[in-house]
């Protein structure tokens, strides 16, 4: 991003709005709406900065840091339609503090929202590492900060991508009551199975990989249970992980350059886990480094994962695999805390629109089946519309589809008329004439159940994974969940 450009100024649709923006930001903070955290009044106001190149001449951009230490970015379009999109980013990143570049990068990545006339606000979260409720609180904080400085939008939508889909879904459940600050939600490529079940296939990858590869840890290295992901004091790097994965499977080599054992190991790992070859490394990184963060840094070395009762199949010798793979049972208090932090109850009271690539190699499309089952189990699926596209990406879908999706959600909120996958698919062509990125909807697609893709653990077939009644009971336990 070029920070040498002179920031453009915001043009408001009316003199009263322009006057409101130019008023003292300090005064705006003092007059913040009721319910804003008192600490926010002491934070410095947003500072005008150069916008990402995608928004040059189209918006005024701001950055800052909130009272909890989370960096954020804000953009207000030159032709603001009066509504706001609050963005929840994916990950989680694993840095110790808040990354000031993350929210700016995401603003560039989803600049289509601003081009469509929406103001945009996104938090980098106060720290790296896992913590869905923390990230949801930081997302709500940046919304409040926007209101304090730029006034209350006509309508406010929360958008979440990847793990941010889980974060945004948590925002909907915690802050999105009817008549509350959010009018609707757009969840794209979302990890919507929640933390207690949504990573089971990575648990399976971790143990199946070690069964075949025996190099994380190696026999001569300090041993640790695989549910830890990686021992807390390990100095293994991502480059080291890639080297060990290559050593065992030859995944980075052309097939003709692999040894027979490497090819068999790779074939068995992919067949048993269902992980796509092109994302094998990224899934393994999560099962190693992010699992270490969850277990060691967030849950005090308690095990939230289990593979008891799981039968692994698809290998050249399933009997040997199941006899030799490492097994472990979860600590119930660790499961409770991870579930409370990241599982969804389906307690939804505002319109929610989702979009997911059918061939998403990272957050499998079956996460959408888990989310629909969650809302149906809570009797709230009337608030949900799901769309699916014939794309093979996770981190970025077609800009025309993003523009189409936010417009469909906005129309649903404004008119009360619920769209269908077909009407959303039909309306995409108008946006593609602007963005020329394609429309790939399949309005007739319905994902198979989550259990069809991820081997369920005993008792793991019913949804929601955490009921609203469980959430209420658990909320009374001191220290429950994951600390911010």
């Amino acid at each position: 991003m070029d920070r040498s450009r002179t920031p453009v100024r915001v043009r408001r649709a009316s003199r009263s709005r322009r006057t409101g923006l130019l008023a003292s930001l300090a005064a705006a903070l003092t007059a913040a709406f009721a319910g804003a955290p008192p600490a926010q009044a002491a934070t410095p106001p947003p500072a005008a900065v150069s916008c990402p190149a995608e928004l040059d001449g189209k918006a005024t951009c701001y950055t800052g840091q909130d009272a909890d230490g989370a960096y954020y970015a804000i953009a207000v379009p030159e032709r603001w339609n009066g509504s706001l999109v609050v963005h929840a980013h994916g990950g989680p990143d694993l840095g110790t503090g808040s990354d000031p570049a993350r929210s700016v990068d995401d603003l560039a990545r989803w600049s289509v929202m601003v081009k469509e006339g929406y103001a945009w606000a996104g938090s980098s979260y106060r720290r790296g590492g896992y913590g869905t409720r923390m990230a949801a609180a930081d997302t709500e904080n940046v919304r409040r900060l926007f209101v304090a400085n730029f006034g209350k939008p006509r309508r406010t939508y929360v958008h979440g991508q990847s793990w941010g889909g889980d974060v945004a879904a948590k925002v909907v459940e915690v802050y999105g009551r009817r008549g509350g600050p959010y009018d609707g939600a757009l969840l794209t490529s979302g990890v919507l199975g929640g933390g207690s079940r949504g990573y089971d296939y990575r648990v399976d990858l971790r143990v199946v990989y070690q069964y075949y590869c025996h190099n994380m840890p190696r026999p001569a290295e300090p041993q640790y249970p695989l549910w830890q992901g990686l021992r807390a004091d390990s100095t293994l790097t991502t480059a080291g992980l890639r080297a060990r994965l290559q050593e065992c499977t030859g995944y980075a080599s052309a097939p003709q350059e692999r040894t027979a054992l490497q090819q068999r190991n790779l074939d068995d790992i992919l067949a048993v886990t269902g992980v796509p070859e092109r994302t094998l490394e990224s899934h393994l990184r999560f099962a190693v480094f992010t699992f270490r963060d969850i277990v060691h840094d967030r849950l005090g070395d308690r095990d939230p994962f289990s593979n008891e009762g799981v039968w692994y199949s698809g290998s050249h010798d399933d009997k040997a695999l199941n006899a030799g793979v490492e097994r472990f049972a979860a600590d119930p208090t660790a499961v409770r805390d991870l579930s409370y932090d990241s599982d969804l109850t389906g307690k939804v009271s505002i319109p929610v629109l989702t979009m997911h690539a059918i061939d998403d190699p990272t957050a499998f499309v079956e996460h959408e089946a888990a989310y629909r089952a969650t809302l149906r189990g809570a009797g709230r699926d009337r608030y949900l519309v799901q769309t699916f596209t014939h794309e093979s990406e996770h981190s970025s879908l077609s800009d025309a589809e993003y523009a189409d999706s936010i417009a469909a959600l906005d129309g649903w909120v404004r008119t009360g008329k619920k769209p269908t996958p077909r009407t959303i698919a039909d309306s995409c062509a108008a946006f593609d004439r602007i963005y020329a990125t394609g429309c790939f909807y399949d309005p007739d697609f319905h994902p198979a159940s989550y259990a069809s893709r991820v081997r369920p653990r005993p008792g793991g077939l019913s949804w929601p994974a955490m009921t609203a009644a469980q959430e209420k009971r658990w909320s009374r336990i001191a220290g429950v969940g994951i600390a911010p």
Side-chain angles (χ1 to χ4, degrees), residues 3 64-65 69-73 89 93-106 122-128:
R3 294 185 179 270
Q65 189 173 21
Y71 287 100
Y72 62 85
H89 77 68
D93 302 330
L94 295 181
T96 54
S98 182
D99 178 7
R102 180 61 197 250
S103 55
V104 177
D105 291 345
D106 276 6
S123 171
S124 291
Y125 310 149
R126 70 191 72 181
R127 61 158 173 79

Side-chain angles (χ1 to χ4, degrees), residues 57-78:
K58 297 180 177 68
T60 299
C61 298
Y62 305 83
T63 60
Q65 189 173 21
D66 72 17
D68 292 317
Y71 287 100
Y72 62 85
I74 288 171
V76 182
E78 290 286 307

Side-chain angles (χ1 to χ4, degrees), residues 57 133 158 190 210 296 303 353 376 402 440 472 477 482:
R133 285 182 183 265
V158 60
Q210 184 65 10
H296 179 68
D303 173 20
L353 174 65
R376 183 178 292 124
Y402 284 117
F440 307 100
K472 187 174 182 179
I477 301 171
I482 290 176

Side-chain angles (χ1 to χ4, degrees), residues 231-245:
R231 60 187 172 87
D233 59 350
S234 173
T235 58
L236 182 72
T237 64
T238 55
L241 179 146
R242 286 194 292 269
R244 296 187 189 208
L245 178 59

Side-chain angles (χ1 to χ4, degrees), residues 35-238:
Q40 293 288 359
T43 60
V49 297
S50 297
C51 284
E54 294 84 351
L55 294 175
D56 191 18
K58 297 180 177 68
T60 299
C61 298
Y62 305 83
T63 60
Q65 189 173 21
D66 72 17
D68 292 317
Y71 287 100
Y72 62 85
I74 288 171
V76 182
E78 290 286 307
R79 293 187 174 91
W80 185 25
N81 63 17
S83 293
L84 170 68
V85 171
V86 183
H87 175 76
H89 77 68
D93 302 330
L94 295 181
T96 54
S98 182
D99 178 7
R102 180 61 197 250
S103 55
V104 177
D105 291 345
D106 276 6
L107 170 57
R109 192 169 162 194
W110 281 283
S111 59
V112 62
M113 303 292 187
V114 182
K115 293 174 185 176
E116 286 298 301
Y118 294 87
W120 191 96
S123 171
S124 291
Y125 310 149
R126 70 191 72 181
R127 61 158 173 79
Y130 206 83
T132 304
R133 285 182 183 265
M134 172 205 72
D138 291 341
T139 301
E140 166 63 2
N141 281 345
V142 78
R143 183 200 67 81
R144 294 181 177 193
L145 199 147
F146 181 95
V147 171
N149 287 277
F150 302 101
K152 183 179 180 181
R154 289 195 188 106
R155 285 170 290 277
T156 300
Y157 304 113
V158 60
H159 168 240
Q161 174 88 7
S162 189
W163 177 57
D166 188 39
V167 174
K170 185 67 73 174
V171 169
V172 170
E173 294 187 358
V174 175
Y175 306 103
R177 65 192 180 280
R178 185 180 300 177
Y182 295 94
D183 298 283
L186 174 61
L187 312 179
T188 57
S189 309
V191 180
L192 300 174
S196 73
R197 298 179 187 174
Y199 306 127
D200 280 346
Y201 68 97
R202 286 169 171 158
V203 174
D204 296 337
L205 172 61
R206 188 68 182 90
V207 298
V208 170
Y209 173 86
Q210 184 65 10
Y211 172 79
Y212 288 111
C213 298
H214 308 290
N215 66 8
M216 230 170 357
R218 300 185 191 279
E221 294 176 331
Q223 302 297 294
Y224 53 88
L226 296 180
W227 51 263
Q228 292 182 352
L230 188 66
R231 60 187 172 87
D233 59 350
S234 173
T235 58
L236 182 72
T237 64
T238 55

Side-chain angles (χ1 to χ4, degrees), residues 81 83 118 155 157 405-416:
N81 63 17
S83 293
Y118 294 87
R155 285 170 290 277
Y157 304 113
S405 295
I406 193 66
L409 178 62
D410 184 60
W412 183 5
V413 168
R414 286 187 295 101
T415 67

Side-chain angles (χ1 to χ4, degrees), residues 207-288:
V207 298
V208 170
Y209 173 86
Q210 184 65 10
Y211 172 79
Y212 288 111
C213 298
H214 308 290
N215 66 8
M216 230 170 357
R218 300 185 191 279
E221 294 176 331
Q223 302 297 294
Y224 53 88
L226 296 180
W227 51 263
Q228 292 182 352
L230 188 66
R231 60 187 172 87
D233 59 350
S234 173
T235 58
L236 182 72
T237 64
T238 55
L241 179 146
R242 286 194 292 269
R244 296 187 189 208
L245 178 59
Q246 172 68 10
E247 169 191 291
C248 176
T249 68
Y251 82 106
S253 300
Q256 64 271 20
E257 296 173 353
R258 298 168 186 153
T259 68
L261 180 58
Q262 284 178 327
Q263 188 64 60
R264 193 178 76 171
N265 287 341
L266 181 61
D267 290 344
D268 278 346
I269 291 169
L270 298 179
V272 173
T273 65
V275 170
E277 183 173 346
R278 64 191 171 113
T279 51
L280 174 59
E281 180 204 329
S282 64
H283 285 298
L284 187 60
R285 284 203 315 268
F286 194 104
V288 171

Side-chain angles (χ1 to χ4, degrees), residues 358-423:
I358 294 170
D359 194 26
D360 187 324
T362 300
F364 303 147
V365 72
E366 289 80 6
H367 275 273
E368 296 288 341
Y371 191 57
R372 176 166 287 281
T374 295
L375 267 65
R376 183 178 292 124
R380 303 294 181 95
D381 53 322
R382 65 187 180 277
Y383 293 107
L384 179 64
V385 173
Q386 293 175 299
T387 63
F388 303 94
T389 71
H390 283 292
E391 291 170 278
S392 302
E393 300 300 326
H394 170 68
S395 59
S396 183
L397 304 181
S398 164
D399 274 359
E401 293 167 349
Y402 284 117
D404 185 32
S405 295
I406 193 66
L409 178 62
D410 184 60
W412 183 5
V413 168
R414 286 187 295 101
T415 67
K417 185 177 179 180
K418 186 177 181 179
T420 68
R422 178 71 61 183
T423 61

